[in-house]
Amino acid sequence: MTTYDFAIVGAGIAGASLAAELSGHGARVLVMEAEDRPGYHSTGRSAAFWEECYGGPEIVPLTLASGPYLKEHGFLSARGALYIAREGEESGLDEFMDTFGETGVTIERLGRAGLERQIEGIRSGWSGAIWEPACADIDVAGLHAHYLSMAKRNGVDLVCRARLGNAERRGGTWTLQTEAGEQFRAKVLINAAGAWADEVAAIAGAKPMGIQPLRRTVVQLRVEPAPPSDLPLVLDMEGSFYFKPESGRLWLSPHDEEPSDPCDAAPEELAVAEAIDRLEKVVDWKIVAVERKWAGLRSFAPDRCPVYGFDGQCEGFAWFAGQGGYGIQTAPAAARLTSQLLLGLERDAMTASLDASLYSPARRG
Ligand SMILES: Cc1cc2nc3c(=O)[nH]c(=O)nc-3n(C[C@H](O)[C@H](O)[C@H](O)COP(=O)(O)OP(=O)(O)OC[C@H]3O[C@@H](n4cnc5c(N)ncnc54)[C@H](O)[C@@H]3O)c2cc1C
């Protein structure tokens, strides 16, 4: 039986990107995926944007470091983002400028006139915004396929329908057993299991990080007039909705964060109704039909920073989890940095400015 250098649990964007990076350095890598196909859970359900400020100042460096790679490979298309505020909430715009002003993002304050230019049909009562011109749509399926095919070219073995059920470490090697009884061997076990990250840690005998899945809902609406294709991503400064155009339709989320067990997440009617109610308070568009709705899990460590690197307490066990609501837009830099941490390599131009201690499992204590 082959003894792999690394066995990665999970073939979402996290597992796929890390497999591609590690195998690019000659490591023998196995990816175990519980589902019939990679990308079935959070990765296949995202709202597909790259937004510089999303997730706060600790996430900005990962997003900015990932931008050039995503651009070079053609995965970004220009969109722009507007964080909008109601009358009386303008201090929130000032705070936003203060929080992000020095982080390297490009942001600009707009008044009501600027808002009207960007969003036709915006209701009165919305008085200003932060304009973020660099925000882009991400081709999520393209990026995921890019990493999977890079991994395949580098000789990575991807096994689907392989849910890790048991892990035992002896003499520096893990014996990994799927729930169906198939066995694999690896020197290092990497947890890229998304919402299941704490469960996989428990299987390996590692202390959990406290990673909590939170459900997020998206609805696809037909509205009149149809949203212009160049409408920016529109987010509420208070964090209660976002929407953006998609192929003549509108994708709308109530920005919900409902705690959930790890599962195949499904949308709740209440979240759909809330999303529509919030949209109707922003624009005077007519809602003609709810065409699609879906939900996915965004999984966060208690401090909402991702978790990258060796566990430190459980030998041969490493984390690549807690990607939260930004696992797609941060994937290139996150995977590059984590491969460097796991292989003991020097940083390169993409990762030189990142502070890995922010994302270290050691902060769990
Ligand atoms: C509605 C929504 C909108 C979002 N919008 C954006 C966005 O615009 N931009 C952005 O950057 N991010 C966005 N995100 C976040 C992004 O989707 C996630 O951060 C990212 O997909 C996480 O990837 P992952 O690989 O960690 O998890 P997943 O894609 O969930 O992959 C984890 C995999 O591990 C597998 N697994 C679990 N347990 C086991 C086991 N025991 N054995 C084997 N396999 C196992 C699962 O089957 C799963 O396939 C959004 C998320 C949601 C839900």
Side-chain angles (χ1 to χ4, degrees):
M1 191 190 297
T2 309
T3 300
Y4 292 94
D5 295 315
F6 298 95
I8 300 177
V9 182
I13 193 69
S17 55
L18 187 56
E21 287 287 343
L22 288 169
S23 58
H25 292 280
R28 283 163 307 166
V29 180
L30 167 74
V31 181
M32 300 172 69
E33 169 53 53
E35 301 293 346
D36 291 352
R37 60 178 173 84
Y40 175 75
H41 289 290
S42 304
T43 298
R45 305 176 192 208
S46 93
F49 53 75
W50 181 87
E51 201 277 278
E52 288 177 305
C53 303
Y54 209 64
E58 289 80 15
I59 307 303
V60 170
L62 292 166
T63 305
L64 293 184
S66 298
Y69 186 94
L70 293 168
K71 265 182 223 138
E72 270 161 37
H73 290 83
F75 296 121
L76 297 186
S77 39
R79 164 78 42 220
L82 277 176
Y83 280 88
I84 65 175
R86 295 172 186 84
E87 266 161 26
E89 289 175 356
E90 292 81 1
S91 61
L93 298 174
D94 297 332
E95 277 166 32
F96 194 100
M97 291 300 287
D98 290 345
T99 304
F100 290 98
E102 303 297 314
T103 58
V105 304
T106 309
I107 46 176
E108 185 191 328
R109 204 54 211 253
L110 296 185
R112 170 79 195 177
L115 259 187
E116 286 176 2
R117 272 196 304 278
Q118 298 268 12
I119 313 173
E120 214 170 297
I122 185 148
R123 293 192 188 278
S124 59
W126 295 90
S127 61
I130 303 286
W131 169 234
E132 195 212 289
C135 175
D137 289 340
I138 310 181
D139 174 0
V140 179
L143 180 66
H144 192 216
H146 162 82
Y147 279 126
L148 287 172
S149 62
M150 205 198 262
K152 190 169 182 198
R153 275 198 309 278
N154 293 340
V156 171
D157 289 329
L158 166 65
V159 189
C160 290
R161 289 176 225 99
R163 181 178 293 279
L164 180 71
N166 192 50
E168 272 177 38
R169 189 169 173 85
R170 273 206 202 102
T173 301
W174 290 98
T175 300
L176 307 169
Q177 186 161 318
T178 68
E179 286 184 351
E182 209 176 348
Q183 285 201 345
F184 301 97
R185 285 218 181 96
K187 291 181 198 153
V188 174
L189 177 60
I190 304 174
N191 183 359
W196 289 263
D198 272 0
E199 284 190 11
V200 166
I203 290 171
K207 196 167 152 192
M209 287 294 305
I211 291 179
Q212 173 65 56
L214 303 176
R215 192 176 59 237
R216 166 71 42 102
T217 311
V218 183
V219 288
Q220 177 173 307
L221 301 177
R222 187 144 52 87
V223 295
E224 272 176 17
S229 60
D230 61 354
L231 181 76
L233 167 70
V234 179
L235 309 99
D236 162 31
M237 182 60 71
E238 299 283 290
S240 65
F241 62 79
Y242 61 72
F243 58 86
K244 69 172 204 175
E246 179 66 36
S247 311
R249 304 295 194 252
L250 197 74
W251 280 9
L252 166 70
S253 171
H255 220 258
D256 45 340
E257 293 205 328
E258 198 54 39
S260 166
D261 287 336
C263 66
D264 190 355
E268 298 270 331
E269 281 312 318
L270 184 62
V272 174
E274 264 169 3
I276 291 173
D277 180 56
R278 290 171 191 174
L279 177 71
E280 285 177 327
K281 294 191 170 98
V282 184
V283 283
D284 62 8
W285 309 336
K286 186 173 163 210
I287 293 158
V288 182
V290 177
E291 291 188 331
R292 263 178 78 203
K293 52 194 171 191
W294 68 93
L297 299 175
R298 301 154 76 249
S299 300
F300 294 90
D303 61 4
R304 293 179 79 98
C305 275
V307 191
Y308 309 148
F310 280 111
D311 182 85
Q313 295 175 18
C314 180
E315 205 197 323
F317 185 75
W319 294 78
F320 194 46
Q323 273 79 352
Y326 18 82
I328 315 289
Q329 64 176 42
T330 58
R336 180 71 57 85
L337 174 67
T338 305
S339 69
Q340 290 164 346
L341 294 171
L342 300 186
L343 293 167
L345 299 173
E346 295 287 308
R347 303 288 187 84
D348 63 3
M350 190 193 280
T351 59
S353 63
L354 299 175
D355 176 1
S357 69
L358 286 173
Y359 318 121
S360 166
R363 68 193 200 269
R364 171 190 53 194

